Amino acid sequence: MILPIYIYGQPVLRKESVDITPDYPELDQLIQNMFETLTASEGVGLAAPQIGLNIRVAVIDLDVLSEDFPEYKDFRRAYINPHIVEFDEESPTETMEEGCLSLPGIHENVTRPTRVRVRWQDADFTQHDEWIDGYLARVMQHEFDHLDAHMFIDRISPLRRQLIKGKLRQLLQGNYRCGYRTKPVRR
């Protein structure tokens, strides 16, 4: 089932998410719905707060990039209870443009570390602890920020944030267009 994406201003996007246990109801169905929603919205990542749930679940699908990046062929993963536990201070940072399904029409340059250590569980609750680098590290940081009540606009300069203030106000008022289902703020 394709779910609506919660838009900037929804309180759920600014509330820290909690870990879940293996008895979380209908987790497999939730993950399937999140992948369907991600595909329908043409994104590469989706975190549970973006569909109104403050739980530590995110999905990432990089297969859409596999033509240019063959290493992402068939890359489609659900992350349960993910946490970034360390940033590689020896690796460089990289600045790239980011967008977000919860911020339609807004794209800004964001500087992030290129390598991070992540602990997470898969859908079977098997524990993983690994170093991730490259574009996947960026996507993970973006999505896992959502689980910690942050958005990419929190990582831009105060000046850039001031310059997009009007666009953010438009989102709060429900004045935006996008090609996927959304749940705007109701005033």
Side-chain angles (χ1 to χ4, degrees):
M1 173 182 8
I2 297 171
L3 306 167
I5 305 288
Y6 281 56
I7 299 299
Y8 173 79
Q10 287 281 1
V12 70
L13 295 172
R14 294 303 192 169
K15 185 177 175 193
E16 195 165 340
S17 296
V18 297
D19 284 353
I20 63 170
T21 59
D23 62 349
Y24 189 84
E26 300 183 40
L27 180 60
D28 290 339
Q29 184 63 53
L30 172 64
I31 291 169
Q32 182 180 333
N33 291 347
M34 288 179 73
F35 275 119
E36 285 180 33
T37 302
L38 181 61
T39 300
S41 58
E42 298 181 354
V44 295
L46 183 68
Q50 294 179 275
I51 57 163
L53 299 172
N54 280 121
I55 58 173
R56 294 192 76 85
V57 176
V59 297
I60 296 176
D61 185 348
L62 297 182
D63 185 61
V64 297
L65 306 174
S66 64
E67 192 170 299
D68 295 324
F69 301 96
E71 65 269 29
Y72 295 132
K73 179 75 176 147
D74 299 323
F75 187 98
R76 184 176 154 106
R77 239 178 241 159
Y79 295 89
I80 312 298
N81 302 326
H83 294 272
I84 295 174
V85 294
E86 191 176 351
F87 296 95
D88 183 354
E89 303 205 6
E90 301 295 315
S91 70
T93 59
E94 184 176 52
T95 301
M96 287 181 69
E97 185 178 83
E98 290 187 22
C100 180
L101 297 173
S102 293
L103 293 156
I106 297 178
H107 296 85
E108 291 291 327
N109 286 327
V110 179
T111 302
R112 295 190 187 269
T114 57
R115 189 166 187 256
V116 295
R117 182 173 157 217
V118 181
R119 278 194 195 122
W120 56 283
Q121 295 167 311
D122 58 30
D124 296 322
F125 284 82
T126 301
Q127 187 75 35
H128 300 266
D129 186 329
E130 59 188 328
W131 283 97
I132 306 292
D133 57 12
Y135 189 69
L136 177 58
R138 172 172 295 275
V139 175
M140 284 180 155
Q141 290 173 76
H142 178 109
E143 297 310 324
F144 301 170
D145 268 356
H146 281 296
L147 304 177
D148 293 326
H150 300 295
M151 300 179 85
F152 83 86
I153 56 172
D154 301 334
R155 303 207 179 276
I156 62 176
S157 72
L159 175 60
R160 288 301 312 158
R161 189 157 168 119
Q162 186 64 33
L163 290 172
I164 65 168
K165 199 173 187 177
K167 290 180 180 179
L168 295 173
R169 190 173 19 259
Q170 292 296 311
L171 291 177
L172 290 172
Q173 295 169 353
N175 297 327
Y176 61 88
R177 289 185 186 186
C178 58
Y180 47 88
R181 288 182 58 204
T182 63
K183 186 168 178 72
V185 176
R186 297 279 186 241
R187 297 249 181 240

